[in-house]
Amino acid sequence: MKLIWLRHGETNPNRQRRYCGHLDPPLNEKGRCQAEAAAARLAVVEPVAQVVASDLLRARQTAEPLLRQLSTATMQVTPLLRELSFGEWEGLTYGEIYSQNPQALHRWLSDPVRRSPPGGETMTQMGSRLDRWLHEILRHAGTEMRVIAVTHGGPLRWFISRYLKQDPASFWDRSIPHGDVLSVKWEGNRWREQP
């Protein structure tokens, strides 16, 4: 099975980097362009059976151009692909969080696998949602099936650190930019990145 991860397009106005988490902002203009460009790139890959998106608006809006380009693909929406819940920090910038509670921010950045933002999720909690979804698709997917998953930065980092690097502590080491893709293939006992 081949899985193509797609990170949703940008949402924040004026390129402000806010922790959106479970907030539900729409794509901004650049984000809509990123979604269209990603759909055009992915339309030339092998046939895709299914597009699965996080239930949050920014992911669903990123998936819409894919469905127009990939006429044979079906669409599924699931909360299992949602971004990490940032709790009290949702909607805030890094600078705002730092000025309000630098100690809590430092604790979370130092150990996101076991610590959570106040009122939010740990990476392990978010990862358990993602793990359930991966288990489901592997149970139902054929070996030649191709799926595009439209999700967020946190789930992508979790997948890379847990499944590709096999080291959840490497969570901060690699990210996927908005509107970009990561292609992986299930090889029977593990996921491997594809060019």
Side-chain angles (χ1 to χ4, degrees):
M1 182 198 147
K2 185 170 185 180
L3 176 58
I4 301 168
W5 292 100
L6 170 60
R7 186 176 178 189
H8 68 78
E10 285 187 11
T11 58
N12 295 317
N14 305 322
R15 298 193 47 85
Q16 291 179 330
R17 295 180 51 111
R18 295 192 176 274
Y19 289 86
C20 292
H22 288 192
L23 294 179
D24 212 11
L27 295 178
N28 63 21
E29 184 177 340
K30 182 173 182 180
R32 289 189 295 278
C33 291
Q34 289 169 328
E36 292 290 345
R41 280 193 328 268
L42 292 172
V44 298
V45 300
E46 310 91 36
V48 172
Q50 190 174 42
V51 175
V52 184
S54 157
D55 63 338
L56 296 174
L57 180 61
R58 56 197 183 268
R60 289 183 286 124
Q61 287 179 326
T62 301
E64 288 169 3
L66 284 169
L67 295 175
R68 290 194 298 273
Q69 295 274 351
L70 306 167
S71 59
T72 60
T74 61
M75 170 86 163
Q76 179 188 3
V77 174
T78 177
L80 297 177
L81 293 179
R82 271 188 177 204
E83 177 62 280
L84 178 81
S85 169
F86 292 104
E88 296 172 16
W89 295 347
E90 294 201 355
L92 301 178
T93 64
Y94 176 90
E96 291 167 339
I97 296 166
Y98 183 82
S99 69
Q100 291 175 14
N101 196 338
Q103 295 85 8
L105 180 60
H106 176 72
R107 283 191 300 270
W108 176 66
L109 291 173
S110 298
D111 188 8
V113 174
R114 290 184 299 225
R115 297 197 181 260
S116 68
E121 293 177 296
T122 64
M123 296 300 172
T124 303
Q125 290 168 321
M126 180 201 64
S128 70
R129 287 192 275 113
L130 186 63
D131 295 347
R132 284 197 315 271
W133 180 75
L134 287 166
H135 180 72
E136 283 178 24
I137 63 163
L138 286 175
R139 214 168 32 130
H140 294 96
T143 56
E144 298 304 313
M145 185 174 177
R146 287 168 180 80
V147 174
I148 296 175
V150 185
T151 191
H152 310 268
L156 279 163
R157 283 180 186 264
W158 178 259
F159 181 84
I160 291 167
S161 61
R162 169 128 164 56
Y163 290 101
L164 296 181
K165 291 184 142 194
Q166 299 183 344
D167 177 16
S170 68
F171 182 82
W172 298 117
D173 290 358
R174 182 177 173 196
S175 69
I176 302 296
H178 290 281
D180 210 348
V181 299
L182 170 71
S183 295
V184 296
K185 185 173 183 179
W186 178 249
E187 295 189 339
N189 61 350
R190 67 170 294 181
W191 291 98
R192 295 211 187 268
E193 188 168 357
Q194 300 291 294

